[in-house]
């Protein structure tokens, strides 16, 4: 009857997932700071509507900077808005025919809006104006460098009133409704438009500008995003019951499994590592346990740091942790590749550790060769393997650390939300569930690949070259993917 209970729970989770309301989503997760700049060109001036939308984590930090309880009054919000709009005016550079034009702040406003898991978001709106002579043919350039180091959606639109824009590189209307509704099709590849240059002439602007390229989102990514929002919604439910709490933990495990399969996370490369060494089932358990422990500790430490600091940029911390994770994987790949090319016994499949006479008589009960020779060979092999097991175990732990080093922003959000609702232990449990989900996926993939490797090694001699090639191929894969993750993290900045 247990399987029926599991089916019922999964079905209930699916129903909750499919019937959940649409939550306010941010394109690169809950650590982003998103920007919109809407330009209106007139014959005598340029108007700018600038919006900065802080997702849950940076919003909580900004609000705590204003008020220790994270609940500033209208006066504090107004002063914050005026100050930041001034900073934005200094960072947004406008030139007309090469001459820089200064902005005047016409109005400023800051609004606290509900986000996921009961956490707030913060929306800053600034209205700026700059005097400019566009009554003749001109060239207008604009660039927004406000908070340029923060990761997030960046969108620019430009239109004219009495001014015609010639082949404008940006659209006239916001595809996100000025950061109020991010298009689902673009969440996996958010806009990153920070500047424009356009030729103008007197007249009416009748064009729509360059369209925004939209591509369909993959079904797996869409389902995972919906599951993420559902978990966060359950966590933010102030009337949570034990059943709802148990469902949230189960969905967190599933979410961790899904995150481990996403491209760019580097989790499944650890399964390739296990096939390139003398991987055994317990090795997969070691890596899985290390992933869980590292990820859980990372989320707890980063959550505490964000709670105590209003200036710590969570997105940049995640970025550089990703660089460190990729670099660690690449180093392990180099060690693996060197061992495979030098004929390190630990880098070869299990069947290759036996001498040919033993392989020839395996399973027959007969012993080939002098007993002393076999004894000496076995003793030498034991000493060598004892030394190698230490390196192998270090590699396993290193891979586990690399896999869990980058905390999941989703896990970080549910932890902070749980702490804010007075459910700290429940938040820790959910973070642990995320890590267990990732570790489970890794172990399943690793065990499957190890099984495939052993089957190749047991095939006839003409197919054994495949098993012999596995260490070199997997070591190269580990190195290249680790290098790609590190480079991707470095290039993720502005």
């Amino acid at each position: 009857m247990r399987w029926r209970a599991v089916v019922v729970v999964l079905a209930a989770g699916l129903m909750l997932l499919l019937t959940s309301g649409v939550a306010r989503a941010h394109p690169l997760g809950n650590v982003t700071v998103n920007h919109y700049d809407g330009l209106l060109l007139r014959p005598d001036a340029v108007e700018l509507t600038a919006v900065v939308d802080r997702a849950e984590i940076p919003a909580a930090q900004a609000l705590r900077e204003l008020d220790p309880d994270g609940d500033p009054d209208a006066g504090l919000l107004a002063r914050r808005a005026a100050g930041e709009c001034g900073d934005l005016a200094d960072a947004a550079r406008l030139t007309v025919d090469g001459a820089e034009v200064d902005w005047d702040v016409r109005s400023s406003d800051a609004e606290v809006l509900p986000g996921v898991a009961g956490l707030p978001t913060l929306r800053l709106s600034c209205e700026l104006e700059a005097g400019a002579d566009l009554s003749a043919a001109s060239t207008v350039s604009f660039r927004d460098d406000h908070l340029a180091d923060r990761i997030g959606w960046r969108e620019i639109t430009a239109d004219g009133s009495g001014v015609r824009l010639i082949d404008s590189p940006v659209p006239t209307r916001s595809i996100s409704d000025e950061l109020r509704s991010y298009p689902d099709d673009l969440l996996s590849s958010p806009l990153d438009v920070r500047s424009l240059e356009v030729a103008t002439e007197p007249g009416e602007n009748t064009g729509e500008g360059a369209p925004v390229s939209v591509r369909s989102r993959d079904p797996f990514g869409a389902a995972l995003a919906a599951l993420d929002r559902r978990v966060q919604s359950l966590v933010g439910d102030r009337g949570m019951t034990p059943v709802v709490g148990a469902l949230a933990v189960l969905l967190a495990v599933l979410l961790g499994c899904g995150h481990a399969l996403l491209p760019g996370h580097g989790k499944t490369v650890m399964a390739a590592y296990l096939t390139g060494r003398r991987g055994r089932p317990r090795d997969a358990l070691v890596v899985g346990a290390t992933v869980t422990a590292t990820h859980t500790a990372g989320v707890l430490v980063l959550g505490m740091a964000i709670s105590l600091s209003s200036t710590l940029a969570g997105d940049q911390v995640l970025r550089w942790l990703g660089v460190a994770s990729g670099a660690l994987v690449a180093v392990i790949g180099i060690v693996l590749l060197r061992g495979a090319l030098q004929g390190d016994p630990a880098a070869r499949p299990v069947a290759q550790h036996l001498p040919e006479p033993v392989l020839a008589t395996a399973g027959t009960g007969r012993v080939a060769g002098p007993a002393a020779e076999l004894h000496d060979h076995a003793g030498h092999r034991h000493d060598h393997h004892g030394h190698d097991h230490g390196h192998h175990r270090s590699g396993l732990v290193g891979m586990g650390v690399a896999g869990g080093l980058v905390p999941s922003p989703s896990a970080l959000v549910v932890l902070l939300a749980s702490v804010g609702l007075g459910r700290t232990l429940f938040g820790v449990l959910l973070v642990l569930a995320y890590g267990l989900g990732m570790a489970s996926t890794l172990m399943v993939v690793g065990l499957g690949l190890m099984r495939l490797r052993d089957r190749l090694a047991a095939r006839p001699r003409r197919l054994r070259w495949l098993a012999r090639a596995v260490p070199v191929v997997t070591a190269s894969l580990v190195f290249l993917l680790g290098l790609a993750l590190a480079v991707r993290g470095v290039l993720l900045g502005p």
Side-chain angles (χ1 to χ4, degrees):
M1 294 296 180
R2 291 183 178 178
W3 64 271
R4 293 185 179 178
V6 173
V7 170
V8 170
V9 172
L10 291 177
L14 183 60
M15 287 293 292
L16 282 172
L17 174 61
L18 295 177
T19 58
S20 61
V22 178
R24 191 164 182 266
H26 288 88
L28 288 180
N30 310 101
V31 297
T32 55
V33 178
N34 309 283
H35 299 251
Y36 165 76
D37 294 297
L39 295 166
L40 178 62
L41 280 61
R42 306 198 318 259
D44 61 344
V46 177
E47 297 178 4
L48 172 63
T49 298
V51 178
V52 179
D53 176 27
R54 285 176 168 81
E56 287 78 6
I57 291 177
Q61 291 178 290
L63 294 174
R64 196 180 303 111
E65 183 179 4
L66 296 176
D67 180 77
D69 296 327
D71 187 22
D73 58 27
L76 290 175
L77 284 175
R79 285 195 291 273
R80 166 71 186 233
E84 186 167 355
C85 284
D87 294 339
L88 190 150
D90 293 336
R93 186 169 182 265
L94 176 71
T95 61
V96 177
D97 293 331
E100 188 166 355
V101 184
D102 294 329
W103 296 104
D104 292 324
V105 179
R106 297 302 186 189
S107 67
S108 59
D109 181 63
E111 185 179 8
V112 178
L113 299 172
V116 299
L119 295 175
T121 63
L122 182 61
R123 178 182 176 87
L124 171 75
S125 300
C126 307
E127 296 291 340
L128 312 179
E129 185 175 312
D133 184 6
L134 301 180
S135 59
S138 306
T139 299
V140 177
S141 298
F142 172 79
R143 180 174 181 84
D144 182 1
D145 287 325
H146 181 56
L147 301 176
D149 61 331
R150 302 304 299 267
I151 298 173
W153 177 286
R154 286 183 176 266
E155 180 184 5
I156 296 178
T157 62
D159 201 355
S161 176
V163 175
R164 189 171 81 88
L165 282 63
I166 304 173
D167 296 328
S168 174
V170 298
T172 58
R173 296 184 179 182
S174 170
I175 194 175
S176 68
D177 189 20
E178 300 182 1
L179 307 185
R180 294 184 181 90
S181 177
Y182 298 99
D184 288 339
D185 290 336
L186 286 178
L187 292 185
S188 58
S189 56
L191 293 181
D192 188 16
V193 181
R194 300 167 183 255
S195 63
L196 76 87
E197 181 173 300
V198 63
T200 68
E201 64 182 14
E204 291 303 319
N205 192 51
T206 57
E208 294 294 327
V212 176
S213 176
V214 178
R215 68 181 185 184
S216 298
R217 195 175 190 187
D218 66 283
F220 179 77
L224 197 62
L227 178 60
D228 196 351
R229 292 194 295 270
R230 191 56 198 166
V231 172
Q232 293 169 346
S233 176
L234 291 175
V235 172
D237 185 358
R238 294 182 179 274
M240 181 181 293
T241 63
V243 174
V244 173
L247 180 59
V249 172
L250 175 61
L251 294 182
V253 172
L254 296 178
L255 190 58
C257 292
H259 276 298
L261 295 175
L262 284 177
H265 283 257
K267 305 295 188 302
T268 53
V269 73
M270 289 179 287
Y273 169 84
L274 293 173
T275 65
R277 304 290 285 183
R278 286 188 298 110
R280 293 167 292 181
R282 68 180 183 184
D283 294 335
L285 294 175
V286 170
V287 176
T290 309
V291 168
T292 303
T294 304
H295 180 264
T296 302
V299 173
L300 296 178
V301 171
L302 183 55
M304 181 180 298
I306 288 177
S307 298
L308 296 176
S309 172
S310 60
T311 59
L312 180 66
D315 56 336
Q316 295 302 312
V317 173
L318 294 177
R319 170 192 172 193
W320 290 111
L321 285 176
V323 172
S325 174
L328 180 57
V329 172
V331 169
I332 294 175
I334 292 175
V335 174
L336 279 176
L337 186 60
R338 184 181 64 179
L341 294 176
Q342 292 178 350
D344 183 356
R348 298 198 297 265
V350 176
Q352 297 181 25
H353 292 290
L354 300 177
E356 288 297 328
V358 176
L359 283 174
T361 59
T364 63
R366 293 182 287 110
V367 178
E373 178 182 347
L374 287 177
H375 183 270
D376 291 342
H377 179 86
H380 173 73
R381 189 177 63 207
H382 177 76
D383 292 341
H384 183 83
H385 286 183
H387 175 71
D388 179 74
H389 280 327
H391 293 290
H392 180 50
R393 194 171 299 109
S394 299
L396 291 172
V397 174
M399 268 295 178
V401 170
L405 189 60
V406 184
S408 166
S410 300
L412 190 59
V413 166
V414 299
L415 174 65
L416 294 177
S418 298
V419 172
L421 293 172
R423 304 168 182 160
T424 302
L425 291 180
F426 179 65
V428 174
L429 179 61
L430 287 173
V431 172
L432 183 62
Y434 275 92
L436 287 174
M438 290 192 297
S440 299
T441 299
L442 169 64
M443 288 187 289
V444 168
V445 175
L447 292 172
L449 290 179
M450 283 189 285
R451 184 178 179 86
L452 177 62
R453 178 208 61 196
D454 293 341
R455 286 192 174 187
L456 287 175
R459 292 291 180 179
R461 185 178 299 274
R462 66 177 179 274
L463 294 179
R464 285 185 185 170
W465 67 270
L466 290 174
R468 295 190 181 98
V470 166
V472 176
V473 172
T474 55
S476 302
L477 180 63
V478 169
F479 168 71
L480 291 176
L481 288 180
L483 184 63
L485 289 174
V487 172
R488 175 177 175 269
V490 172
L491 298 180
L492 198 58

